[in-house]
Amino acid sequence: MSVSNLSNRASTCFFDKDAESQGGQSGAASDQRWDLSDLYASADAWNEARLAAAAGLGALADYEGRLGESGAVLADFLTAYFDAQKVISQLYTYASLAADQDLRESTGLERQSLIQGTASQFGQTVSFVEPELIALGAVCLRSFVDDEVRLAPYDHYLSDLIRQQKHVLTDAEEKILAAASESMATANAAYRVLSNADIDWPRIELSTGETVLLDASGYGNYRQLDSREDRERVFRAFFEKHHQYRNTFATTLQGQVKNHIFSSRVRGYDSCLERALDGENIPAGVYRTLVQVVNDSLPTLHRYFRLRGRMLGIEDLRYFDIYPELVDRDLVYKIDQCKAITLDAVRPLGNEYVSSMADALDKPWMDVYPREGKRSGAYMAGSAYDVHPYLMLNHHDDYNSLSTFAHEWGHAMHSLLSNEAQPFAKASYATFVAEVASIVNETLLSDRLIANAEAAGDDETRLFFLTEALEGMRGTFFRQTMFGEFELNIHEEVEQGGALSGDKLTQMYGDILRRYHGHDEGVLTIDDVVCTEWGYIPHFYMNFYVYQYATSMAAAFAVVERIRREGDVARQAYLAALSAGGSAHPYEILKEAGLDMADASVYQAVVNRMDEVLDQVGALL
Ligand SMILES: [Zn+2]
């Protein structure tokens, strides 16, 4: 496991919902804070544990050249090896949680840099392990696993290593690749500096007389303004700036695409997509089926846009009309209400799930409210295997916060179930299944709130929840797949010998944007200026990542639908998938639970649900 893997483990959901804005709720009660002493009694105790972990690394080094001696020796080693990873994960969790409580404190940064040092020392110490295991070969490793019962927790790790063996190069070649990795990070780093620091983002005056800065976060805040003229000016100013820098944006993006191509070719993959999916052993059919079904289902998305136009009273819908809320509802959800509502909503997951969650909610595992210096956004950190999950929230007492609460608790319950059922080496689950657990809970919450509003005869509130659900399907299912399709197009363009200039990217993105939004059918007009949006999306640098939001939503809807239809059998299958953690490949885990993510019917279920919700909204108008 590399250093970066270890740091990723510290937060399963590291770029989850970002808080749109900060404010309010200073001086929150201390029972709304997490208790880090469950991890270490004090900062000093943390440091002692870190020094002890570092001192223990020498014992791992002694195994170099010995892993093939016998199954017993290999079991001794792997036990110590994974124990060390477990300890470092816990040290990492403490360091990052403590730092996120107040980013202004330099001790937090120092602690993170100390544990990074220990982790990198670990990485260097164990760099012999995987080449040595691969050299032993499949036959030898399999016979060790068959004969030595203590190797059972590591069988998936070992077989996965063998599976990927054909893409591992010689020692000398691997060293060259490792040495090149730092310079290959430049394209992404340059993109981030350009968009976050160097560009002089525009300021515009709104119709209220207020002057606002349109950097990424300003754009996020002002793109949903009620005034249509203001929205148009926000979009124009923000994307004209991207047009101005299109050649530099294109250079960094093309640089990143070429990195992906280089890595896939030297490792013997046929394409970047194949390499990106191979890490978790996901069939390429998953990606292509998703894109195909979404393209076939664009009439449903267009139906939503037409409804949006109708509700906003706009006949000539344009790209800047996508974000304003359709129903204005000031719903307040204090944290205790969030607990009660979410517990009620997840009842379809069974008594055991509910009571285990109820117990967890009473414990000091969450940092609930925003305060000065605290990290923004929300995440769940589930990799302190021997302790428990922690949740970072920035709760604003509104619906969005309630939904985030249910989402992050979906992750926390997944970690609880997986850590309980699996040994450490099999507990950490892949992103491909992680977002299923969170979106299932969000979906159950949405269903519950819609049903409650219906029971109360409150049509306006029901309409609010229904339109929020539609917006979720647009943003997570259709938009992320659109990104995924663009990502595939630009990689294939360069793989086939083409080049990506700024204007070329704008044309490619514009084509896809117009198709998804029904430009030619007169559904929603895409002006030329917004076709530089590709420069604004950091995920295009992440090597085929975002499609998993769309697949996860599809899997989650299928789970909820099946539990509703089939009851206990479907519930047990789903809980078993959560408990499976990382004991198998994520595609297999979902398939075992009855969800074949390479089959079109899973994605069709999202479209059917969206059509149903559109019918319900239509009936209320
Ligand atoms: Zn998440």
Side-chain angles (χ1 to χ4, degrees), residues 255-276:
Q256 186 74 345
V257 168
K258 285 187 171 173
N259 281 340
H260 296 157
I261 293 177
F262 169 76
S263 301
S264 72
R265 286 192 180 151
V266 295
R267 293 197 178 279
Y269 289 102
D270 289 337
S271 67
C272 292
L273 179 66
E274 194 202 339
R275 170 174 169 257

Side-chain angles (χ1 to χ4, degrees), residues 191-260:
Y191 168 71
R192 297 201 182 242
V193 172
L194 176 67
S195 51
N196 295 323
D198 279 357
I199 292 183
D200 187 16
W201 291 106
R203 282 170 203 277
I204 62 163
E205 193 182 317
L206 301 175
S207 55
T208 55
E210 188 190 357
T211 300
V212 297
L213 172 69
L214 293 177
D215 56 6
S217 102
Y219 168 70
N221 286 333
Y222 299 112
R223 66 185 178 184
Q224 59 215 341
L225 288 172
D226 284 338
S227 157
R228 202 173 181 221
E229 290 70 32
D230 282 348
R231 288 202 303 273
E232 177 165 15
R233 288 169 51 231
V234 166
F235 273 66
R236 182 165 295 285
F238 187 63
F239 289 117
E240 269 175 357
K241 199 49 123 176
H242 286 85
H243 181 69
Q244 189 188 330
Y245 284 91
R246 68 193 181 285
N247 294 321
T248 316
F249 279 129
T251 307
T252 56
L253 184 52
Q254 175 164 260
Q256 186 74 345
V257 168
K258 285 187 171 173
N259 281 340
H260 296 157

Side-chain angles (χ1 to χ4, degrees), residues 88-158:
I88 292 173
S89 290
Q90 186 168 325
L91 288 162
Y92 232 118
T93 303
Y94 181 88
S96 63
L97 296 182
D100 287 348
Q101 295 180 124
D102 192 343
L103 297 170
R104 299 164 302 180
E105 283 207 17
S106 59
T107 47
L109 281 177
E110 282 161 29
R111 224 180 274 126
Q112 281 183 306
S113 130
L114 284 173
I115 187 58
Q116 258 150 20
T118 311
S120 120
Q121 210 183 327
F122 170 79
Q124 285 160 27
T125 308
V126 300
S127 64
F128 71 92
V129 176
E130 299 196 346
E132 194 172 321
L133 290 171
I134 287 169
L136 290 176
V139 175
C140 170
L141 290 177
R142 202 158 298 131
S143 78
F144 282 176
V145 170
D146 288 344
D147 295 343
E148 172 55 68
V149 65
R150 290 186 300 133
L151 283 174
Y154 314 110
D155 55 0
H156 180 63
Y157 164 75
L158 291 170

Side-chain angles (χ1 to χ4, degrees), residues 507-528:
Q507 173 243 310
M508 289 173 78
Y509 192 78
D511 285 351
I512 212 165
L513 208 53
R514 291 195 166 94
R515 182 153 43 83
Y516 271 70
H517 293 81
H519 175 89
D520 289 345
E521 292 91 335
V523 177
L524 187 152
T525 302
I526 298 291
D527 299 301
D528 287 344

Side-chain angles (χ1 to χ4, degrees), residues 13 16 407 411 435 438:
C13 218
D16 253 2
H407 179 105
H411 286 311
E435 294 303 324
S438 51

Side-chain angles (χ1 to χ4, degrees), residues 189-367:
Y191 168 71
R192 297 201 182 242
V193 172
L194 176 67
S195 51
N196 295 323
D198 279 357
I199 292 183
D200 187 16
W201 291 106
R203 282 170 203 277
I204 62 163
E205 193 182 317
L206 301 175
S207 55
T208 55
E210 188 190 357
T211 300
V212 297
L213 172 69
L214 293 177
D215 56 6
S217 102
Y219 168 70
N221 286 333
Y222 299 112
R223 66 185 178 184
Q224 59 215 341
L225 288 172
D226 284 338
S227 157
R228 202 173 181 221
E229 290 70 32
D230 282 348
R231 288 202 303 273
E232 177 165 15
R233 288 169 51 231
V234 166
F235 273 66
R236 182 165 295 285
F238 187 63
F239 289 117
E240 269 175 357
K241 199 49 123 176
H242 286 85
H243 181 69
Q244 189 188 330
Y245 284 91
R246 68 193 181 285
N247 294 321
T248 316
F249 279 129
T251 307
T252 56
L253 184 52
Q254 175 164 260
Q256 186 74 345
V257 168
K258 285 187 171 173
N259 281 340
H260 296 157
I261 293 177
F262 169 76
S263 301
S264 72
R265 286 192 180 151
V266 295
R267 293 197 178 279
Y269 289 102
D270 289 337
S271 67
C272 292
L273 179 66
E274 194 202 339
R275 170 174 169 257
L277 301 187
D278 190 50
E280 299 290 356
N281 202 20
I282 293 162
V286 169
Y287 205 96
R288 296 190 189 277
T289 305
L290 168 71
V291 170
Q292 187 58 52
V293 175
V294 166
N295 271 278
D296 293 343
S297 311
L298 291 176
T300 295
L301 179 65
H302 298 169
R303 223 189 125 194
Y304 168 53
F305 288 138
R306 288 199 182 91
L307 179 95
R308 168 167 273 278
R310 184 178 157 202
M311 291 182 74
L312 291 174
I314 297 172
E315 275 181 20
D316 59 329
L317 207 65
R318 289 169 63 193
Y319 199 49
F320 49 79
D321 296 318
I322 285 184
Y323 296 101
E325 282 203 69
L326 293 177
V327 180
D328 192 14
R329 211 95 192 95
D330 253 344
L331 300 168
V332 175
Y333 297 102
K334 299 278 181 200
I335 194 72
D336 285 336
Q337 289 169 282
C338 292
K339 292 181 184 179
I341 293 169
T342 306
L343 279 175
D344 183 43
V346 300
R347 274 189 302 155
L349 299 182
N351 293 337
E352 231 172 291
Y353 187 100
V354 173
S355 69
S356 156
M357 186 166 165
D359 284 348
L361 285 171
D362 278 339
K363 293 182 177 146
W365 296 2
M366 288 187 281
D367 190 325

